[in-house]
Amino acid sequence: MSRIRIRWWFMLGVYILAISSALSLLSADGGLSMGRQPWKNLTKTVGELSSPSFLSMLRDEPLREFRSDDGTLLRVEDPQKEEHEFLGGVWRATLVTLAIATIGTALAALAAIPFGVMAAQNLPTFAPLRRVAQGLLNVCRSIHTLVFGLFLVGIVGLGPMAGILAIALHSLGTLGKLFAEAIETTDLGPAYAIRSVGGSRLQTVAWGILPSLLPTWVSNVLYVWEFNIRDSTVLGQVGAGGLGLLLTESLALFQWGRLATLLILIVALVWTFDALSRRVRLALH
């Protein structure tokens, strides 16, 4: 048996051992329990989600009257009017969500260029500086966007800015790592040629490295942007605004119809941007 095959079998064994240990840990604490009536609860939830609130705009619904115990009319609600106002808020929240993802990704993409250059192993970077850049990228990549969001809400306050910075910090780790790896696998012949004729470090990077990496770089940024759209839809749960805030409200008030409307919108949003970014990435290669 070849050494490579032995190594693969060893890695598979370690992976199986890790899965077994995780199952043992959770089963000992009852963490694998699905509750008393999982199928009944699932059926009930699916039934409540099967009627998205936006459907009320397509059918005539009677006015809802709310009366006191003695029959006194307290208020009258128009379901269609309320849904129209809700959908207007959803449209605004969707634009905020897209803005958070777009600006956060752009900031990360710009910051990732110098950090990626410093972190690349095959460039003549000052060793301590390289280790600092690699460490920073690892830290940013390791901390989840929601954790950054919670932290930043306490610093900059509630609102989209906390979401933008959370997206930017986490994406910096991802894009910086991808950019450094792309540099490590690219042909540095043009860069050395520019350097040999007296080009500065900035000129070497700008004209000898970046042009060959541009298609890969744009593709990576588009992929991370698409991923950040998904992340930004839940950042509202920590006070960063956007669709996540409406999701939190719908869950807190048990408004399953409105929750279904939001989930359909989020899925459609992600699918649309996935298709668009895939077309652009294919056009670049």
Side-chain angles (χ1 to χ4, degrees), residues 13-29 32:
V14 171
Y15 184 60
I16 293 175
L17 179 62
I19 294 175
S20 302
S21 300
L23 290 173
S24 176
L25 174 67
L26 294 178
S27 61
D29 297 334
L32 298 179

Side-chain angles (χ1 to χ4, degrees), residues 17-232:
L17 179 62
I19 294 175
S20 302
S21 300
L23 290 173
S24 176
L25 174 67
L26 294 178
S27 61
D29 297 334
L32 298 179
S33 172
M34 297 180 65
R36 296 181 178 179
Q37 298 176 320
W39 294 112
K40 181 180 179 180
N41 295 334
L42 176 62
T43 302
K44 179 181 177 182
T45 303
V46 170
E48 292 174 345
L49 290 173
S50 62
S51 181
S53 63
F54 71 88
L55 294 178
S56 64
M57 301 292 294
L58 307 177
R59 56 177 179 253
D60 293 329
E61 291 192 5
L63 299 178
R64 291 195 293 256
E65 296 183 351
F66 295 86
R67 298 179 179 274
S68 62
D69 294 337
D70 61 0
T72 303
L73 181 64
L74 300 176
R75 70 179 188 275
V76 178
E77 293 182 356
D78 184 346
Q80 288 189 330
K81 181 180 178 181
E82 288 189 357
E83 188 61 22
H84 185 270
E85 294 175 352
F86 170 72
L87 292 178
V90 169
W91 171 245
R92 169 67 181 173
T94 301
L95 295 179
V96 172
T97 294
L98 293 176
I100 290 173
T102 301
I103 299 173
T105 305
L107 291 175
L110 292 175
I113 294 176
F115 281 103
V117 170
M118 288 187 290
Q121 297 278 5
N122 60 337
L123 293 181
T125 308
F126 186 48
L129 186 61
R130 179 187 299 117
R131 285 193 287 270
V132 169
Q134 291 174 343
L136 178 64
L137 294 178
N138 288 335
V139 169
C140 290
R141 193 170 62 256
S142 301
I143 300 176
H144 196 276
T145 311
L146 280 175
V147 178
F148 272 128
L150 285 167
F151 177 71
L152 289 165
V153 162
I155 296 176
V156 302
L158 300 173
M161 181 53 69
I164 290 171
L165 294 177
I167 290 286
L169 285 173
H170 180 73
S171 300
L172 170 61
T174 302
L175 288 173
K177 176 69 171 177
L178 292 174
F179 191 50
E181 291 181 348
I183 293 175
E184 291 169 357
T185 58
T186 194
D187 179 17
L188 295 181
Y192 290 134
I194 294 174
R195 191 67 172 168
S196 66
V197 297
S200 65
R201 288 181 181 270
L202 181 60
Q203 290 172 328
T204 301
V205 172
W207 304 109
I209 297 177
L210 291 182
S212 61
L213 293 178
L214 188 59
T216 302
W217 180 236
V218 173
S219 177
N220 288 336
V221 171
L222 286 172
Y223 177 77
V224 172
W225 183 34
E226 170 200 330
F227 186 83
N228 284 340
I229 289 174
R230 302 174 220 178
D231 260 8
S232 60

